[in-house]
Amino acid sequence: MTASIPSASTPRRILMHVNDNVAIVVNDGGLPAGTVFEDGLTLVENVPQGHKVALKAIPKGEPILRYNVIIGRAVQDIPQGSWVAEGLIEMPPARELDNLPISTVKVPPLEPLEGYTFQGYRNEDGTVGTRNILAITTTVQCVAGVVDFAVKRIKAELLPRYPNVDDVVGLEHTYGCGVAIEAPGANIPIRTIHNISKNPNFGGQAMVVSLGCEKLQPTRLFPANSIQIRRKDDTIATEPPVVCLQDAGNVGFMSMIESIMKTAEAQLEVLNKRQRVTCPASDLVVGVQCGGSDAFSGVTANPAVGFATDLLVRAGASVMFSEVTEVRDGIDQLTSRAATPEVAEEMIREMAWYDAYLTRGGVDRSANTTPGNKKGGLSNIVEKAMGSIVKSGSVPITGVLSPGEKLTTKGVKGLIYTATPASDFICGTLQLAAGMNLHVFTTGRGTPYGLAECPVIKVATRDDLARRWHDLMDVNAGRIATGDATIESVGWELFQLLLDTASGKKTWAEQWKLYNALVLFNPAPVT
């Protein structure tokens, strides 16, 4: 990446690779026709910020290169100095999934980062929470209103008595009944709910609220629930504890609420005994994601996240990157970085499954890009994917998770490809199911995204966004584009902020309590 940035008023552009024939405009507000760059390149029309300018004449049918990748071909002759707008680019077909490079990139072992720690909550299963939260799992959407009412009362009446508990969250969703629960693909939402309930930030103390007649019975969601446990006081309990609203003992609405609150209080008693202890950085499981992306995402925020990814892996942590359609066009980059041929084949399998899923819906990966992406300078999914992949850094990819799978069941650490849709909310939900205890989210257009179940650190791609949304963005990576910071310095800043946040420092989303709903990925039919 090269940029010449002598002053804020100087026309500025960023070239991602020496072979590229387009660069993006850096200046806030874009640049007008007639603007002359230091090397003599003159704009022949207005070019908005983040959009591409032709560095030389590009004949019709010739490739348009950014990141040294063909992001499309010119549909007409494009003069030097022109705005290379979306309509001038014909998107190339997706890369075939055969004859891919397999484990060809041999990265020299990076020096381990030792001595980095945070203050976390150690769980009995060996995982570590960055927060101490009581989660109330639901088996069906029917109980969502009751659980929401109960959570409000628990927060108001019970939570103040348990100062070591950070929050109470209802794990509400739209699954559980009216679905083809035996159909292929139904295992994805079921295991997602199961594994989210066991997220490290819940300390193993999740409880369940069931309606009673739903298809997704508690014993199906938690098969161990069929095993009864005798407590020390000789009472019988199930694990996790279940409140069934249709039980004969619940007479009236308030009786249901009291049942939930009584069970919640027992869980709060256990959680309140937990204390933060010193944990190595290797206990972090960080999910990285981007949303509201723009042309700067692959220039500033995502490269800084990629640098932090390398630091985390060097420290022994696990980092998950996701979003199938936003890496599909770079599958050759991923398979070449696979630690083993088996890992490469798993990635290819996930791409093929998702290709088939999109085909059944009558679309392809081009449906990914949004109006905001395009307004921010991303012409198509190929260009977007090249900027998205850099979140994964440079270390080898050591494992692959299918949607809803849990990391600890795979027995691997390091850089993990966690296959998810690109939807912000579905991706975040599936990363929670995988065991994420910290979340990094980059954005160029801006989003107030947050999760109640896990701290979300938001990274702005541009100075303008960081200034305007100063109390929503946690890190300003836009300083990279203006020359006021480097990818390395912002990467280290993010790495330290991750440790601080894991130790209890609140993100802006946490301070404002901005929390998005969980959204399950259900590829199976709804009845």
Side-chain angles (χ1 to χ4, degrees), residues 150-164:
V151 166
K152 289 176 181 176
R153 278 197 56 185
I154 293 167
K155 288 183 177 183
E157 300 173 29
L158 298 181
L159 192 58
R161 294 172 11 208
Y162 301 98
N164 292 334

Side-chain angles (χ1 to χ4, degrees), residues 225-271:
N225 231 14
S226 58
I227 302 173
Q228 293 185 325
I229 299 171
R230 184 174 295 277
R231 296 192 181 107
K232 291 181 179 179
D233 61 1
D234 283 338
T235 59
I236 300 297
T238 58
E239 183 61 38
V242 177
V243 174
C244 179
L245 301 189
Q246 290 179 350
D247 279 356
N250 288 320
V251 180
F253 174 60
M254 294 314 298
S255 176
M256 299 176 187
I257 300 302
E258 293 301 327
S259 295
I260 295 171
M261 292 183 68
K262 181 179 179 180
T263 304
E265 187 163 19
Q267 305 301 98
L268 289 168
E269 290 277 1
V270 177
L271 288 171

